[in-house]
Amino acid sequence: MRKPDGKIVLLGDMNVGKTSLLQRYMERRFPDTVSTVGGAFYLKQWRSYNISIWDTAGREQFHGLGSMYCRGAAAVILTYDVNHLQSLVELEERFLGLTDTANADCLFAIVGNKVDLREEGAAESQEEDGHSPGMASGGCASLKVPKQVRPEDAVALYKKILKYKMLDEKDAPAAEQMCFETSAKTGHNVDLLFETLFEMVVPMILRQRSQGPAQTVDITSYKPPGRTKAGCCA
Ligand SMILES: Nc1nc2c(ncn2[C@@H]2O[C@H](COP(=O)(O)OP(=O)(O)OP(=O)(O)O)[C@@H](O)[C@H]2O)c(=O)[nH]1
Ligand SMILES: [Mg+2]
């Protein structure tokens, strides 16, 4: 098997649909999933490059592994469930710190999954939030759907991430380009998500190659003095 040229990692709380998104994209189906243990990856050939896409476990007990999976990542997909505000909050509180081991120029996509469920209950939720009182009068605003996430909330998180990474907004891809709403169930925006990232990762691979040796070291040919060249800022 060829060594991957670039790495993309899916992070996010348990049950948000990371495994389902990856299976929808790679296998073109929406199978029953079981909660992920540890992590697993798929290898995707995109143009002439091999990109590994890592699925991680959202369960708290595997949290410690997250930063290991993120090591050297060219892009991280921070996934939440559009029907559970807390899953977005967790991205900032629990998962963002795990990306410190990713590449310095790592890209971040914020992905709100399960939009197919939101469509069913959006009216109640929006009325409750006071955002869209457009429903027929007299409707009872019962709380059928847990707190929904609005696209603006994801954009706000994206901007916070740029700050956390000390990146200037004008040097990073625009929030509108990096915030997605998807459904692994229907396939909505799933190809768009992965293929947008592949297109952005390819130039990073080329840039890295032109800058010299990769960050990983082949220990069979390891020569200590030659190593000082690698890994420094350009
Ligand atoms: N309706 C709907 N259900 C979804 C969608 N994506 C995932 N699910 C369901 O949500 C549950 C959890 O999905 P997983 O893909 O296993 O979630 P995960 O993020 O990988 O969870 P962990 O592996 O525990 O971190 C499963 O029952 C899926 O069938 C979606 O887009 N729409
Ligand atoms: Mg999973």
Side-chain angles (χ1 to χ4, degrees):
M1 187 176 75
R2 265 187 59 188
K3 190 172 157 290
D5 301 300
K7 179 181 185 185
I8 297 178
V9 183
L10 281 146
L11 286 183
D13 209 353
M14 64 180 285
N15 215 36
V16 295
K18 300 176 294 298
T19 303
S20 303
L21 281 168
L22 198 47
Q23 295 205 345
R24 162 60 73 190
Y25 182 68
M26 294 300 295
E27 296 177 6
R28 321 307 290 171
R29 61 197 186 100
F30 180 65
D32 281 344
T33 52
V34 286
S35 189
T36 305
V37 172
F41 76 98
Y42 279 91
L43 209 52
K44 169 76 183 175
Q45 180 158 12
W46 185 253
R47 306 188 191 286
S48 56
Y49 305 99
N50 280 321
I51 298 178
S52 60
I53 315 172
W54 283 82
D55 180 22
T56 62
R59 272 196 277 166
E60 189 89 50
Q61 71 195 98
F62 297 112
H63 195 63
L65 298 175
S67 60
M68 188 185 83
Y69 289 120
C70 286
R71 188 170 303 280
V76 172
I77 300 175
L78 291 166
T79 317
Y80 65 94
D81 175 346
V82 294
N83 309 292
H84 285 96
L85 188 58
Q86 188 57 29
S87 67
L88 185 81
V89 173
E90 293 285 312
L91 288 179
E92 185 184 354
E93 293 186 349
R94 202 151 71 84
F95 292 96
L96 184 56
L98 301 178
T99 66
D100 292 349
T101 52
N103 283 351
D105 55 356
C106 180
L107 298 163
F108 290 89
I110 316 282
V111 176
N113 189 40
K114 304 198 188 181
V115 277
D116 58 290
L117 294 180
R118 180 170 68 186
E119 274 145 27
E120 287 165 20
E124 288 98 321
S125 161
Q126 286 186 342
E127 195 176 43
E128 177 225 338
D129 281 351
H131 288 304
S132 170
M135 255 177 83
S137 59
C140 89
S142 64
L143 244 181
K144 279 203 193 109
V145 180
K147 275 252 178 188
Q148 306 251 323
V149 183
R150 295 166 305 150
E152 307 89 273
D153 301 327
V155 168
L157 175 63
Y158 182 75
K159 292 185 175 171
K160 273 189 193 169
I161 291 174
L162 296 187
K163 268 205 183 120
Y164 175 78
K165 298 284 170 187
M166 292 192 283
L167 290 169
D168 204 315
E169 270 186 47
K170 65 181 186 324
D171 299 329
E176 295 69 32
Q177 201 185 354
M178 301 308 281
C179 295
F180 298 82
E181 290 197 333
T182 59
S183 167
K185 185 173 181 180
T186 66
H188 178 72
N189 277 347
V190 175
D191 288 358
L192 179 74
L193 162 67
F194 285 103
E195 292 175 5
T196 299
L197 287 180
F198 297 155
E199 285 299 315
M200 294 174 115
V201 163
V202 165
M204 294 166 77
I205 295 170
L206 293 173
R207 214 178 313 135
Q208 252 176 24
R209 283 187 183 174
S210 71
Q211 282 170 358
Q215 292 166 333
T216 47
V217 178
D218 177 0
I219 53 168
T220 57
S221 60
Y222 176 62
K223 291 191 190 90
R227 207 190 159 203
T228 47
K229 196 170 168 255
C232 197
C233 357

